[in-house]
Structure formats: C-alpha cells, structure tokens
Amino acid sequence: MATARHVQIGTEAFARPIEWFALDECEMTERGLSTPAVEKIVQARTAPRPSLWSPGKARKVPEPEARAQALLRRLVYARRIESVPVMKQVCTDIEDLTGVDEELQEQLEAAVRHARVWLVEQDGARRKLFDNLNRAVKEQKPGRVRRLLMRVNARAAKDRTDAELAVYERASTYFESLDDLTRDAVQAEADTEKEAHKAAARVRSTLQRLRGWDAYPLDLRPQVEELLRSAALAGDLLTRREVRRVELWKKRAATGTQEQLRVARRYWIQRSCPRCNAQQDKDCVLIEGPDSGKPRKDGHNERLQLVRDERKAAQKMARQQTKTRQEVEAPAEPMQPAPEASEHDPTRPLRSGGRGPTGRARRIRRG
C-alpha cells in the first residue's frame, strides 16, 4: 500500500501529555490556529470562579459581528490550505449565523458564494485527479502512477467515495507489484523531476530579479548564465510567458554584454531619451519583455551617452581655448644677429689653389 501523509497539530501544556488533532478539527481564531485542547485551556483559565451565594452564569456568547469576522478569516485560511472539509464547515457556520447588520450580512453572503464556486472547482479537479490515476494504471505508467498517488494523498486523503477508494486501491496494488528494476527507474525519474522543479523555481526567482532590465550589462552575466542553465533543466515546467522571457534573455546573451554607463540622474533626466522616447524630467521605461512600459532602474545608455558626449565636447573646447590664450599671451623672443664666419673657422670650406696658409702665391714649376 502507498503511504498516505496526514497533517496533525499537537498541543503541549504544562504537566499534560501532547494531544494530537487532525487539521480539520482545528480552527483559525483571533489568536491564530487553535486546537480543541487549546480552547479547553483558555476556557479553564478565563472562566470566573462560581460564587458560593449566587448561581453560576452562563458563558458569555461572542458578539455576532466578532463571530462573523472570525468565520471570514477561517474561510480565507481554508482556501489557503486547500481544505475542502474546513471550507464546507465554515460555509455552513456562516449560513447559520444570525444577528449581524445588513452590510456585514451581504459581505458574508458574497464570501459564501465565492466559496461555493471554489468548492465546485475543487470537486471537478478531484474527479479529474482520480480519472487520471485510473488511466495511468490501465496504461501501466509507473512514474505517472507514483506522482498521482502522491497528489491523491495530499489533496484527497479523506472523505473518499467507494469509486475513489477502488481506484486508489487498484493503483496502490499495481505500484507495489513492480519489480526492483522498474522501481529504481521510477526513483531515478522522480529525482530528475525533483531537480526540474528546483530549476523552475530558480528560473522564476532569477526572472524576478531581472524585471527592471532591458539590456545586458556585464554585471548581469552570472545571473543570465544561471537563468539559461536552469531553464534547460526545468523544461516543460515553465509557463509560456516564462519561456518567452527566457528566450529574450537568450537572444540578449547571444548579442553580447553591454557596459551600463554611469551618470548621475540629475544630469540625464534633463534630456529626452532617443531609445524609449522618454521626455525631459521623465524616467526611462522598459521597451522589451512583459514589463514594457514600466519604469526602468536607470536611464538607457543612449540617453546617458548624450551627457558624456556633451562633456567631451566641452572639455575639448576648453583645451582649445586654453591653448589659444597661451599662444596670445606668450612674449616675443628678441632677434640675434648671425655671427660672422671666422677665417680660422673650422667649418669654413677650404679653397683650392690661390694663396697658401702664409699668404704668398705658390708658383707652379713646369718641367
């Protein structure tokens, strides 16, 4: 037989053993979740001692309004824990409640109508659950039988009809009759499925952190890489919207990272954005993804680049003006006469023929 899981709430008090109660035996009160044992302890501590000379008075009944608010809170709690028995009991208690004003009565009736719709939806989901379990047994799909048995034990552990009990017994018998090799394969499949669910949870968490970005700066690279790895493991567990968002980041990663410029907001907010068309004094908005149109964490690079270009142009002009001013204010250097060449200047070229170094003319003897 497959193991069923039941939730029980324990109450421990001084000098008393722990008392355990099923979840549908407990009640959501103004103090929080309360068990029958807690109610007995509270009544014992708050009840006045009987007088020796006067008859005891009956326990004070809470005001209808306070009771109505407590039932509404318990209705919300029953839906949160998806407990059909608790929801049915609370609806019955609300319908039997009297003595409330007209406005509160309308609120109670509306809450019961919504609860009845939810109960109808749960009945349909329960029928579908057992139908799927019966089909999985007929098709002999052990992995699917295991998963559906776990869901039945979690959502439909009580108040099963004869038909539901028959389906459950047939599925349990089939699963227990599997050989060891098949069981190992089913366990491996279960481990893979568990990892896929963890990966899907990581994808949703990462997408939540990336909501305010429509570019791929370098500091987001680790998160984007983790997103793509987890999405590959999650597979069919992702919704269509999540798949579209993952594909968008995959496309951005293929394009490559882009450095996010850093400029103080008080400067770039004075200009309009050429990318998202945000006007002056308006923040940039996302232009891609499911959150397009919502404010962006920082200005687009195209908007911030305008400020940087203006700063570079101003710095270049300032340097040019400084250079021009220095040239105008610089004093003129005095002109020095060129020195005359000395006769004994070693740099003076020697003349061929003519007088020798003694100044006398040399005669040329001809033979």
Side-chain angles (χ1 to χ4, degrees):
M1 297 293 291
T3 303
R5 179 177 295 177
H6 304 285
V7 178
Q8 289 187 321
I9 307 299
T11 300
E12 182 179 10
F14 178 73
R16 296 187 184 186
I18 300 177
E19 298 183 64
W20 296 94
F21 302 92
L23 189 59
D24 55 357
E25 297 179 88
C26 303
E27 180 179 0
M28 179 59 67
T29 65
E30 296 179 356
R31 301 184 304 273
L33 187 63
S34 178
T35 65
V38 172
E39 293 298 327
K40 291 179 181 179
I41 296 173
V42 172
Q43 293 176 12
R45 292 181 178 179
T46 58
R49 295 183 179 181
S51 176
L52 297 177
W53 54 269
S54 64
K57 296 182 180 180
R59 189 168 68 92
K60 184 179 180 181
V61 179
E63 294 293 334
E65 288 76 8
R67 176 65 176 166
Q69 295 298 334
L71 289 173
L72 288 174
R73 289 193 295 270
R74 193 177 179 198
L75 202 66
V76 174
Y77 174 74
R79 185 163 183 173
R80 183 182 303 168
I81 65 174
E82 297 184 352
S83 176
V84 173
V86 175
M87 182 69 80
K88 290 181 178 180
Q89 183 60 47
V90 175
C91 289
T92 301
D93 294 342
I94 291 178
E95 291 174 343
D96 294 339
L97 183 64
T98 58
V100 297
D101 57 35
E102 182 178 355
E103 182 179 357
L104 185 55
Q105 183 64 37
E106 293 179 356
Q107 184 179 356
L108 291 172
E109 292 175 356
V112 170
R113 285 196 300 271
H114 287 292
R116 296 295 185 190
V117 173
W118 181 82
L119 287 172
V120 171
E121 294 174 351
Q122 293 301 306
D123 289 340
R126 181 172 179 138
R127 288 193 300 271
K128 184 177 180 180
L129 177 61
F130 280 94
D131 290 343
N132 291 338
L133 178 59
N134 190 35
R135 186 180 305 108
V137 174
K138 291 181 179 179
E139 297 175 355
Q140 296 187 356
K141 296 181 177 180
R144 183 167 175 79
V145 170
R146 181 197 64 84
R147 291 192 298 270
L148 292 173
L149 281 174
M150 293 178 61
R151 293 179 60 185
V152 167
N153 290 330
R155 300 185 181 184
K158 292 186 177 182
D159 301 328
R160 292 173 183 167
T161 64
D162 293 340
E164 291 175 346
L165 286 173
V167 172
Y168 183 82
E169 292 293 338
R170 187 161 50 252
S172 300
T173 303
Y174 164 75
F175 192 78
E176 291 295 332
S177 64
L178 298 175
D179 57 77
D180 293 340
L181 185 62
T182 305
R183 285 178 176 273
D184 292 341
V186 170
Q187 185 59 44
E189 180 184 354
D191 295 339
T192 302
E193 182 182 358
K194 185 177 180 180
E195 291 300 322
H197 280 280
K198 291 182 179 180
R202 291 196 299 270
V203 168
R204 296 182 181 101
S205 177
T206 305
L207 287 177
Q208 182 66 26
R209 294 194 300 269
L210 296 174
R211 290 179 68 92
W213 296 93
D214 56 359
Y216 185 22
L218 184 61
D219 52 355
L220 290 184
R221 183 174 180 178
Q223 299 184 47
V224 174
E225 291 178 347
E226 174 63 25
L227 173 68
L228 299 181
R229 286 194 300 267
S230 299
L233 293 175
D236 297 337
L237 296 178
L238 300 179
T239 64
R240 292 182 179 179
R241 182 179 181 183
E242 291 167 348
V243 171
R244 289 196 299 269
R245 295 181 65 184
V246 170
E247 288 297 326
L248 183 59
W249 279 106
K250 186 176 181 179
K251 185 185 301 183
R252 293 170 181 169
T255 306
T257 58
Q258 177 186 16
E259 179 186 2
Q260 175 63 42
L261 301 182
R262 300 298 178 188
V263 178
R265 182 179 182 275
R266 64 178 178 274
Y267 297 118
W268 59 258
I269 200 68
Q270 300 175 9
R271 296 157 181 82
S272 59
C273 180
R275 184 172 181 184
C276 66
N277 297 323
Q279 299 301 315
Q280 183 179 358
D281 297 329
K282 300 293 183 180
D283 287 324
C284 286
V285 297
L286 301 174
I287 58 177
E288 292 179 316
D291 298 323
S292 60
K294 294 183 179 180
R296 196 175 183 274
K297 290 183 177 180
D298 203 349
H300 283 110
N301 276 1
E302 291 82 353
R303 193 174 189 179
L304 275 59
Q305 189 64 46
L306 295 177
V307 181
R308 288 199 167 190
D309 292 343
E310 292 176 2
R311 289 178 179 177
K312 290 181 179 179
Q315 292 172 359
K316 183 177 180 180
M317 181 176 295
R319 288 194 298 268
Q320 184 65 31
Q321 291 176 350
T322 300
K323 182 178 180 181
T324 303
R325 184 171 58 254
Q326 290 175 350
E327 292 176 352
V328 172
E329 295 177 353
E333 296 181 0
M335 298 295 294
Q336 297 291 338
E340 295 181 357
S342 173
E343 186 176 357
H344 302 286
D345 189 354
T347 62
R348 183 176 181 181
L350 296 176
R351 290 180 295 178
S352 61
R355 298 178 180 274
T358 58
R360 297 178 181 178
R362 291 180 298 174
R363 295 180 179 180
I364 299 175
R365 178 181 299 178
R366 297 178 179 179

